[in-house]
Amino acid sequence: MAISMSAFVGLFVGLVLVGLVSSAKFDELFQPSWALDHFGYEGELLKLKLDNYSGAGFQSKSKYMFGKVTVQIKLVEGDSAGTVTAFYMSSDGPNHNEFDFEFLGNTTGEPYTVQTNVYVNGVGNREQRLNLWFDPAKDFHSYTIFWNQRQVVFMVDETPIRVHTNMENKGLPFPKDQAMGVYSSIWNADDWATQGGLVKTDWSHAPFFATYRNFEIDACECPVSLAAVDNAKKCSSSAEKRYWWDEPTLSELNLHQSHQLMWVRANHMVYDYCADTARFPVAPVECVHHRH
């Protein structure tokens, strides 16, 4: 049987590159972290409930360094003003690193806003906001965080919406030395979430549900017993092992992805901290150097 060169290369790469490939089942990768009575299960679907008593949240059973985490979410339908559904990665401690997706609820008919943020060594204030090109409450869509030693990429249905590039050569710290857990939650944030807090949660529409399926983690698992420096070494490619996320083709966006990101920024971005001269009279250093 003839086999094409591309198929052969793909087969070869699949054999030599390692990672942790997950099942899509919630309970193999995650566990509830608070408000267990606000969790609902319908077959393969997980529903988190927000009412005027409580929201709910879950977290991964392990921590990871480098790789990709993806979940499919159907956001709160109808009038979701005041609610926030978050999907994020974070390490522990005051000098933590964190990569955030926060979905800010809306009044009926208004677009959902997605806020992303990046914390490095405990410092955030890197918010970007965009309106999605679809209604995320009508169906499931994939939300992905990809992370290696060169970049952090936020993706929606495989379309990159944000890139945070390693600029250590400019003297800027990059999050590459702390193992991170994966988290998600829904809660009431009507002091800021919708139109800056002007629109409050209408509890007559409660309960609110965020629905999840297809949990995937393809990343380097970090034992809690290992020191950070040992995890960093364990999760980096070497002569003995090659991790897929360290492949040269993943050190930056490809041309198609770069065009996708430009399209998202031009057509859907509604706020960029780099352009907020009221908050930052002097542009943050990474904004000056950042290509995206």
Side-chain angles (χ1 to χ4, degrees), residues 3-203:
I3 184 168
S4 70
M5 180 55 71
S6 61
F8 175 79
V9 170
L11 178 66
F12 175 74
V13 169
L15 289 173
V16 298
L17 298 183
V18 291
L20 174 88
V21 180
S22 78
S23 161
K25 294 190 183 302
F26 171 79
D27 57 3
E28 292 181 7
L29 297 170
F30 295 93
Q31 59 195 14
S33 46
W34 53 286
L36 188 55
D37 61 343
H38 281 54
F39 280 68
Y41 302 91
E42 296 177 7
E44 293 297 304
L45 301 183
L46 166 67
K47 289 193 165 190
L48 294 193
K49 180 171 74 171
L50 168 66
D51 57 25
N52 53 0
Y53 297 102
S54 179
F58 62 81
Q59 65 187 61
S60 58
K61 294 179 178 179
S62 299
K63 287 187 166 55
Y64 304 90
M65 193 177 294
F66 311 133
K68 184 168 83 165
V69 299
T70 299
V71 67
Q72 290 191 329
I73 310 174
K74 184 164 70 171
L75 293 169
V76 176
E77 294 186 62
D79 181 358
S80 55
T83 71
V84 172
T85 303
F87 170 56
Y88 62 103
M89 297 185 72
S90 182
S91 57
D92 299 326
N95 298 318
H96 73 293
N97 299 327
E98 187 173 323
F99 314 138
D100 294 335
F101 274 106
E102 290 178 309
F103 304 95
L104 313 183
N106 62 355
T107 51
T108 305
E110 294 294 313
Y112 244 97
T113 301
V114 180
Q115 175 170 286
T116 58
N117 202 354
V118 176
Y119 285 75
V120 185
N121 295 338
V123 179
N125 299 321
R126 297 181 177 91
E127 297 90 349
Q128 291 183 356
R129 291 185 180 185
L130 55 93
N131 293 331
L132 291 167
W133 49 95
F134 53 83
D135 183 347
K138 287 285 184 270
D139 206 349
F140 288 94
H141 292 270
S142 296
Y143 302 97
T144 297
I145 299 168
F146 168 74
W147 172 36
N148 64 14
Q149 298 189 52
R150 300 293 190 89
Q151 60 179 355
V152 181
V153 184
F154 296 78
M155 289 181 277
V156 175
D157 291 336
E158 294 299 310
T159 296
I161 64 164
R162 179 174 186 165
V163 177
H164 184 81
T165 304
N166 185 332
M167 286 185 278
E168 289 177 307
N169 60 336
K170 307 290 187 185
L172 295 168
F174 183 78
K176 65 175 193 180
D177 59 353
Q178 298 181 37
M180 302 173 83
V182 186
Y183 302 85
S184 189
S185 56
I186 183 171
W187 77 95
N188 177 42
D190 66 4
D191 55 331
W192 65 272
T194 306
Q195 296 180 33
L198 295 176
V199 182
K200 302 300 183 184
T201 304
D202 183 347
W203 293 109

